Amino acid sequence: MRADVRMLGALLGQVLRECGSPGLFEDVERLRLATIQAYDEESTHAFERATEIADSFSIERADEVARAFTCYFHLVNLAEEHQRVRILRERDGQPGREGAVDTVATAYAQLRREVGDDEAQRRLDGLRFQPVFTAHPTEARRRAVSTSIRRLSELLSQRDVASEGGAEQHRAHRRMLEEVDTLWRTAPLRAQKPSPTDEVRTVMSVFDETLFTTVPHVYRRIDDALRGEDSGASAPVVPAFVRVGSWVGGDRDGNPFVTASITREAAQIASEHVLRGLERAIERIGRGLTLDAEGTPPSSMVVALWDAFAAAEEGTAAEIAARSPEEPHRCLLLALAHRVAATRHGASNGYGAPEELLSDLRSVQDSLAASGAKRHAFGGIQHLIWQVETYGFHLTELEVRQHSQVHREALAELDAGGELSEKTQEVLEVFRAVADIQRTYGLRAAGRYVVSFTQSAADLANVHRLAQYALPGTPPVLDVVPLFETFADLQAAPEILAEVVEFPEFRARMAATSNRLEVMLGYSDSSKDVGPVAANLALYEAQRKIALWAKDAGIALTLFHGRGGALGRGGGPANSAILAQPPHSVDGRFKLTEQGETIFARYGEPAIAMRHIDQVAAATLLASSPSVEERTSSAAARFADVATTMDAASRERFFSLVKAEGFAPWFATVTPLEEIGLLALGSRPARRGLSVESLEDLRAIPWVFAWTQARINLAGWFGLGSALEAVGDEALLKDAYREWPLLQTMIDNVAMSLAKTDERIARRYLALGDRDDLAKLVLDELTLTKEWVIRLTGSNGLLENKPILQRAVTLRSPYVDALSLLQLRALRELRAPSGATGSGTEDEQRRLLLLSVSGVAAGLQNTG
């Protein structure tokens, strides 16, 4: 990896010398070497020297330098991803390797030991992993930049397999230089915000390039590991356990640009993509199925299906038969591909539902198996079946989300009986859109309706009332999902749920779905509400109580985790978080939001996507094993007093900061909060309409993003030091860290967050606010938290127990520092009194700041 970084860095240096303005490369090197020295030596003098260099540039040169460092981070990220893929490929096929415990195969083996073969298979059959892609705006890269990086990734792979010094290696090197030149010349900032439809199409690229083909390969690899040589020769034991959800085009909470027409369009775009993918996949498998009728005779069902197609599509059938003489299975598959194409075009000869296609594919599979062609039946045909089971004709299960207050206001208008406002008419139109989508693409295509800020059972009943207003007597089928976000709402959740399941609409829907119920938990707003420590503890307790209530009531509960990419929004490794959940709260089903840069980081590259899905599914399967449940429950009981103390102390400390008089405007001054709202990240507004005089309606994303940009990362750790200090017993806390999964996950995540802070730079940001008391409060808590985390992890420094992660952070930090110094320079100018600007216009300073924001986001990665 180091060699790749050096090579890519050298290519960038060559491009800067060839294409940059005179002296650019030398200026970049001066700042780079100065920040490395300042980081390595931790000397005040070296840091001041780096600051002087950053401040000495003209505004034009500072702009170019910021772009250069941002390009460098894109290349470093690429090299790291490429190395991860290399390692995964080297490990491939080594089931006994060290560290392989986090796979579905090994989790299943452990379950068999603990609960027996039959019960383990039952749990595998019920396994469900559902990532839900959201449009929350944390991906700072333009799509053009992402595309350029993807091309570079392909060239790196070609270079890997080329002969040393050979023509192919020289060709790859030349093309990489050309691509780095493209990356340098591509404007790094979007000229305008993407529309919701743009966001839908961006997410679709992940399906087209990765997920559509990757997910069945995940199933196959697991089946291979479980069954060895038998895999692919008989029916698989692995179910199609992935279901992909989407809020893109459906989440209208605070986003006025997401309308009912956008929701309809999002469903249509997704269906177009999956049907096109299925058509190509069936045709590809079909063309290869050149098995003659004599050696592989078709079943009567296959003959009947072909005859029915030939009668309906005489011309097309004749063309297919002419190309595939005496190859009945090939003929039928090509006929199925033709029918899928007809479905995509809305023709009458298409399929009415994915179940019809599944039935036809299973008929082909049964015929092949019966005629002895088992490898074909349970090879390529099984992949097609898995794809249809996973994606249907809809691709993503589109979910609607709206704020409970919007529902209350709409119902007040409707009950009053007067003329309806445009806003209320739009609320009703959403239900009609859902009904249309269900009629066109099936019930799985849409139907979940998430209610933000659920504070009472009435908030959930209101959705059904509105549906009746929209479509009297014929409302769409709805699964109304409460979203509990604030600390108070999390505490009230069990009582609200107990009341709502008695409502007739809920009872009827649960009766139709084997008593299933879904509940969503918000991580980011609860963290902004009471601080990250108290929020984590409250989330655990809420899950514990909800899970126990559901178990006692015989309800099949799915908890939907509203996690973001950043630690302040529930981020961090998903598999370790799953294993730290309360008993009965997972039960083989795990659903979470994926957003912004985490979508592309986890699902943008096939090998990494396969590994991520396998890891998360393994943890989901293992979380309900007796050993894991015993560990989490006994630890929670043993350390209950520790949790109580930490909760109270952390909240008190957090409130002393955020409830201090003047905190909100101070926060907006010492971070680039206002400027972040100017970045064309996504279609959604950064705030729910209020000024920074109040944090109440500030979205959690800019809250987290702004602290990250200031290199403080406060949203991920503030209050933990005080919480641990209040407990005080180091031996007890070390035991808790070792034995209590919740605390271990919390501290490990905080260690990563702290490692990405920089106190010297943080001090400069805090100094912009002229509030020494608040700055001292932040810095004191930072010092205290670092001390405790280092003590509990048994190290001399942060992340010493995770050397690979530590090395990655250490390699990046000096380069992030360079961008932070440029950002600070711009922020100081923008915060200066009017007319006191040192160099460059206000627009130029703002552009420099936004460039640095994009670069810091690329450098720190889990930013939003």
Side-chain angles (χ1 to χ4, degrees):
M1 189 192 81
R2 287 176 179 271
D4 284 345
V5 171
R6 282 195 299 271
M7 182 270 297
L8 290 168
L11 292 179
L12 178 60
Q14 185 175 340
V15 167
L16 295 181
R17 284 191 294 268
E18 291 176 357
C19 309
S21 60
L24 173 61
F25 175 76
E26 290 73 19
D27 281 344
V28 169
E29 281 295 284
R30 278 200 303 138
L31 183 56
R32 183 179 76 87
L33 294 172
T35 52
I36 289 174
Q37 183 182 9
Y39 186 83
D40 290 345
E41 297 178 3
E42 297 186 359
S43 94
T44 303
H45 176 74
F47 183 71
E48 292 297 337
R49 172 65 182 148
T51 303
E52 289 170 6
I53 293 172
D55 289 348
S56 71
F57 297 144
S58 68
I59 191 67
E60 295 82 9
R61 177 48 53 86
D63 185 298
E64 284 186 296
V65 171
R67 287 184 61 185
F69 276 99
T70 301
C71 281
Y72 175 78
F73 278 127
H74 291 320
L75 297 176
V76 171
N77 292 344
L78 167 62
E80 286 187 349
E81 179 185 279
H82 194 67
Q83 180 66 7
R84 286 180 65 196
V85 172
R86 272 200 202 105
I87 292 170
L88 289 173
R89 285 175 180 158
E90 287 170 5
R91 291 176 176 171
D92 203 17
Q94 303 175 38
R97 66 175 174 79
E98 184 180 353
V101 293
D102 51 354
T103 67
V104 169
T106 48
Y108 181 70
Q110 181 173 329
L111 268 183
R112 288 177 65 190
R113 290 193 297 271
E114 293 191 28
V115 301
D117 291 357
D118 291 347
E119 178 62 15
Q121 185 61 50
R122 187 191 69 79
R123 295 188 185 194
L124 180 62
D125 291 341
L127 178 64
R128 180 73 81 239
F129 168 50
Q130 186 165 6
V132 178
F133 293 172
T134 78
H136 288 355
T138 63
E139 173 62 275
R141 295 186 308 195
R142 287 184 61 203
R143 189 174 174 184
V145 171
S146 299
T147 303
S148 181
I149 292 167
R150 185 56 55 210
R151 290 195 295 263
L152 272 167
S153 176
E154 293 168 1
L155 291 168
L156 261 182
S157 297
Q158 293 173 22
R159 185 178 182 273
D160 278 353
V161 299
S163 301
E164 184 68 33
E168 281 302 307
Q169 192 177 74
H170 285 300
R171 176 177 172 274
H173 185 88
R174 175 183 56 76
R175 290 187 60 201
M176 288 170 71
L177 185 59
E178 181 182 336
E179 201 58 60
V180 172
D181 184 78
T182 300
L183 186 63
W184 165 250
R185 294 175 186 273
T186 299
L189 300 176
R190 295 184 182 95
Q192 58 189 23
K193 284 180 175 288
S195 70
T197 306
D198 293 333
E199 292 170 335
V200 172
R201 295 192 185 281
T202 297
V203 169
M204 286 301 108
S205 68
V206 178
F207 291 101
D208 293 345
E209 296 167 15
T210 306
L211 277 184
F212 183 73
T213 54
T214 295
V215 169
H217 284 300
V218 174
Y219 303 150
R220 175 63 68 198
R221 284 180 53 160
I222 296 169
D223 204 59
D224 287 346
L226 291 177
R227 303 173 65 230
E229 288 298 316
D230 290 336
S231 180
S234 58
V237 298
V238 177
F241 61 78
V242 175
R243 295 291 183 272
V244 180
S246 178
W247 281 8
V248 189
D251 180 9
R252 60 241 315 122
D253 177 16
N255 189 345
F257 307 112
V258 177
T259 62
S261 63
I262 290 290
T263 300
R264 287 187 176 93
E265 188 177 4
Q268 187 273 324
I269 291 170
S271 180
E272 167 83 12
H273 278 257
V274 73
L275 288 170
R276 193 183 295 275
L278 286 171
E279 177 189 345
R280 290 171 178 168
I282 295 170
E283 188 169 308
R284 178 179 57 80
I285 297 293
R287 289 190 184 284
L289 207 61
T290 52
L291 315 180
D292 67 77
E294 184 176 350
T296 315
S299 67
S300 58
M301 179 59 75
V302 164
V303 172
L305 287 171
W306 171 255
D307 289 346
F309 177 78
E313 300 278 341
E314 186 176 344
T316 303
E319 290 178 17
I320 292 173
R323 296 198 307 268
S324 315
E326 298 304 313
E327 295 168 346
H329 295 97
R330 185 177 195 258
C331 284
L332 183 54
L333 270 192
L334 294 177
L336 303 189
H338 180 79
R339 288 197 65 193
V340 171
T343 307
R344 182 164 60 86
H345 294 298
S348 59
N349 58 331
Y351 283 105
E355 290 74 21
E356 297 174 18
L357 174 58
L358 272 175
S359 176
D360 288 355
L361 288 170
R362 290 195 174 107
S363 293
V364 176
Q365 185 177 62
D366 292 344
S367 176
L368 288 167
S371 62
K374 294 183 178 180
R375 292 288 174 188
H376 294 283
F378 301 107
I381 302 298
Q382 182 60 48
H383 274 242
L384 294 174
I385 289 171
W386 273 331
Q387 284 175 315
V388 180
E389 287 176 331
T390 301
Y391 297 119
F393 289 171
H394 56 279
L395 189 60
T396 63
E397 299 181 6
L398 186 61
E399 302 188 358
V400 170
R401 182 172 75 134
Q402 184 56 282
H403 199 290
S404 58
Q405 182 61 31
V406 173
H407 297 152
R408 288 193 288 269
E409 292 170 358
L411 280 169
E413 276 192 30
L414 288 160
D415 291 343
E419 186 176 349
L420 300 181
S421 65
E422 283 188 23
K423 187 175 180 181
T424 295
Q425 290 176 29
E426 174 61 31
V427 168
L428 296 180
E429 190 60 28
V430 171
F431 293 97
R432 300 178 189 122
V434 171
D436 290 344
I437 292 168
Q438 290 181 349
R439 280 192 296 270
T440 306
Y441 308 111
L443 290 181
R444 278 179 57 193
R448 285 190 182 85
Y449 197 114
V450 181
V451 182
S452 296
F453 286 91
T454 296
Q455 298 178 321
S456 68
D459 286 336
L460 304 175
N462 287 346
V463 176
H464 289 292
R465 286 188 61 202
L466 287 165
Q468 284 291 345
Y469 267 116
L471 292 162
T474 58
V477 176
L478 293 174
D479 290 300
V480 181
V481 180
L483 170 49
F484 299 110
E485 299 179 80
T486 67
F487 182 72
D489 294 343
L490 286 168
Q491 289 183 312
E495 290 74 21
I496 293 172
L497 293 172
E499 181 180 351
V500 83
V501 294
E502 297 303 319
F503 293 173
E505 297 89 350
F506 273 82
R507 284 206 309 271
R509 183 59 184 151
M510 290 170 68
T513 59
S514 302
N515 229 26
R516 294 187 177 277
L517 182 69
E518 191 170 303
V519 177
M520 186 173 182
L521 304 169
Y523 284 63
S524 49
D525 280 287
S526 56
S527 181
K528 183 167 68 73
D529 191 29
V530 294
V533 178
N536 268 286
L537 295 170
L539 281 159
Y540 182 93
E541 187 61 15
Q543 289 178 75
R544 186 186 69 81
K545 289 180 177 178
I546 293 169
L548 285 176
W549 164 79
K551 186 172 182 289
D552 291 342
I555 290 170
L557 175 71
T558 296
L559 287 174
F560 179 9
H561 301 263
R563 293 160 55 94
L567 301 176
R569 306 195 63 239
N575 50 322
S576 58
I578 294 168
L579 293 173
Q581 302 305 309
H584 313 299
S585 65
V586 178
D587 276 347
R589 297 177 296 276
F590 189 70
K591 183 176 178 182
L592 80 165
T593 52
E594 302 275 30
Q595 67 183 54
E597 76 272 15
T598 62
I599 293 175
F600 295 93
R602 290 174 175 168
Y603 304 98
E605 206 289 328
I608 292 172
M610 290 174 71
R611 174 66 174 147
H612 173 68
I613 293 169
D614 198 8
Q615 279 186 310
V616 174
T620 302
L621 194 60
L622 205 55
S624 56
S625 67
S627 60
V628 171
E629 289 200 338
E630 168 59 25
R631 183 191 177 199
T632 53
S633 60
S634 62
R638 180 183 172 190
F639 300 110
D641 290 344
V642 171
T644 300
T645 302
M646 289 180 64
D647 173 64
S650 67
R651 268 190 292 132
E652 182 181 355
R653 186 66 159 172
F654 186 74
F655 291 157
S656 70
L657 176 68
V658 300
K659 293 185 181 295
E661 186 178 352
F663 169 78
W666 175 79
F667 164 56
T669 302
V670 301
T671 69
L673 173 68
E674 289 289 343
E675 290 76 13
I676 285 169
L678 301 174
L679 268 178
L681 292 179
S683 65
R684 199 173 184 219
R687 290 196 294 275
R688 292 184 172 97
L690 298 186
S691 74
V692 291
E693 292 302 315
S694 169
L695 292 183
E696 294 300 318
D697 275 345
L698 176 70
R699 292 197 176 280
I701 291 169
W703 163 255
V704 173
F705 202 101
W707 284 121
T708 304
Q709 287 290 321
R711 303 295 299 283
I712 299 171
N713 290 344
L714 180 143
W717 55 263
F718 191 89
L720 178 61
S722 293
L724 298 172
E725 183 77 11
V727 176
D729 187 333
E730 185 172 339
L732 176 62
L733 286 170
K734 283 184 174 179
D735 285 347
Y737 174 69
R738 186 171 53 253
E739 299 172 21
W740 186 15
L742 179 66
L743 185 67
Q744 186 178 87
T745 300
M746 188 189 304
I747 287 178
D748 287 349
N749 284 344
V750 165
M752 181 170 67
S753 184
L754 292 173
K756 295 183 178 184
T757 64
D758 189 295
E759 187 174 338
R760 299 164 307 172
I761 291 173
R763 286 180 181 275
R764 301 292 180 96
Y765 280 94
L766 295 173
L768 295 171
D770 196 27
R771 282 290 300 269
D772 291 345
D773 57 331
L774 297 182
K776 184 176 186 302
L777 191 59
V778 171
L779 293 170
D780 286 351
E781 187 65 20
L782 176 63
T783 300
L784 184 63
T785 305
K786 277 185 179 179
E787 288 175 355
W788 270 106
V789 168
I790 290 170
R791 284 158 70 183
L792 295 189
T793 54
S795 310
N796 295 315
L798 293 168
L799 297 181
E800 283 192 4
N801 59 335
K802 297 182 182 299
I804 295 175
L805 182 57
Q806 184 189 51
R807 184 165 64 247
V809 172
T810 301
L811 282 171
R812 289 164 174 274
S813 291
Y815 299 88
V816 181
D817 293 350
L819 282 162
S820 291
L821 291 175
L822 292 170
Q823 184 179 116
L824 260 170
R825 160 200 167 140
L827 201 58
R828 277 199 306 270
E829 297 288 351
L830 290 168
R831 297 290 185 266
S834 180
T837 301
S839 65
T841 66
E842 185 173 325
D843 285 346
E844 288 173 326
Q845 296 291 355
R846 189 170 286 114
R847 173 180 162 78
L848 173 58
L849 188 140
L850 296 181
L851 281 170
S852 67
V853 165
S854 178
V856 170
L860 294 177
Q861 291 185 302
N862 55 342
T863 53

